[in-house]
Amino acid sequence: MIGMVVSLAVAHGSGDDFERAFAMLAAAVRANEPGNRLYELLRSQTVPDSYTLVEIYEDEAALAAHRASPHMANSRPLTAPFLVGPPVMQTFDVVSHLG
């Protein structure tokens, strides 16, 4: 499995609007991407206006399908105006700790 961690900084005072816009994307990911295992937005308790998106995909094909999906393309214009810089992305191999 593949994990993604995306750091997002939003404009001061726009967190609620960003979260509403993002919620539409998250619902579309969960409804339309069977290869997605986790898609959660976290709001920092310590750094104002800072969010982290945590994603897990079954494999490279699922991640590619996510990136090419219509809902991703449609969501960018809705969420991008709230960002104060480009997302910072990291990609990981998920390490299974199950026997």
Side-chain angles (χ1 to χ4, degrees), residues 27-99:
V29 168
R30 292 181 188 120
N32 298 296
E33 296 185 29
N36 175 267
R37 298 291 172 246
L38 179 71
Y39 200 80
E40 291 294 335
L41 183 66
L42 310 175
R43 181 185 336 108
S44 177
Q45 293 183 355
T46 55
V47 179
D49 306 314
S50 178
Y51 291 82
T52 299
L53 172 61
V54 180
E55 310 170 53
I56 296 179
Y57 298 91
E58 193 64 36
D59 52 27
E60 286 287 344
L63 179 55
H66 168 73
R67 289 179 172 154
S69 69
H71 50 268
M72 281 301 296
N74 294 336
S75 74
R76 285 186 187 102
L78 301 176
T79 57
F82 302 112
L83 300 179
V84 295
V88 177
M89 298 183 205
Q90 296 182 67
T91 305
F92 300 87
D93 293 320
V94 175
V95 178
S96 177
H97 58 277
L98 303 175

Side-chain angles (χ1 to χ4, degrees), residues 2-16:
I2 300 166
M4 297 285 299
V5 175
V6 183
S7 299
L8 305 160
V10 302
H12 182 71
S14 67
D16 289 344

